Amino acid sequence: MSVEVRIDQGALLRLLRARGGIARRKLQQKVDRVARIAEAEAPGSMGRYIETDIQEGPRGLEGVITCTHPKARLVLEGTRPHLIRPRRAKALRFEVGGDVVFTKLVRHPGTRPNNFLARALRLGR
């Protein structure tokens, strides 16, 4: 008596990559873990703008984590020193030490890069 087993690679790949397949579920768990870390590492309210997705890439499934906050790029890459001038009003208004200050020009020192997405990826491994 002989037994023959044939494995259809295409069917196996479809099974693994299926919507509820084991590979997709495991990848979704890892992506969700990294996204939770990114939400915690993100400054201010930026963590609420983090979205996840599983996509079919050229080498298989890929987990994608995106921050859709309008200022995300400025936080990730940092900014150089720059001048801030009022757009519509005649002066800028802000508080310094509890006192209200009005000025026509602020020399912003710039910000250091805060790559919280890369840090979350390292911590989520």
Side-chain angles (χ1 to χ4, degrees):
M1 177 179 195
S2 66
V3 176
E4 184 176 313
V5 176
R6 292 187 184 186
I7 298 175
D8 181 5
Q9 287 183 337
L12 184 60
L13 283 175
R14 283 191 301 277
L15 179 66
L16 287 174
R17 293 180 180 172
R19 194 91 173 124
I22 190 167
R24 188 177 288 268
R25 282 195 315 261
K26 286 293 192 184
L27 182 58
Q28 186 67 54
Q29 288 173 353
K30 285 191 173 240
V31 168
D32 290 343
R33 184 174 68 226
V34 172
R36 280 194 310 273
I37 295 170
E39 288 171 6
E41 293 283 322
S45 65
M46 203 167 279
R48 291 191 299 241
Y49 292 86
I50 292 179
E51 300 172 356
T52 63
D53 190 24
I54 304 295
Q55 299 175 352
E56 187 74 33
R59 296 188 305 171
L61 294 175
E62 296 177 347
V64 179
I65 299 173
T66 309
C67 183
T68 59
H69 191 278
K71 304 293 183 188
R73 188 169 180 195
L74 297 175
V75 170
L76 294 172
E77 297 175 1
T79 61
R80 297 186 343 202
H82 56 280
L83 300 176
I84 301 175
R85 299 175 202 267
R87 286 186 168 183
R88 294 176 195 89
K90 292 184 180 182
L92 298 168
R93 177 190 183 275
F94 55 94
E95 289 187 31
V96 176
D99 296 331
V100 177
V101 178
F102 294 91
T103 184
K104 292 185 178 212
L105 177 71
V106 174
R107 296 180 193 278
H108 193 282
T111 57
R112 297 167 93 187
N114 177 2
N115 198 341
F116 62 92
L117 290 175
R119 195 166 50 249
L121 185 60
R122 280 194 308 274
L123 293 172
R125 286 187 180 170

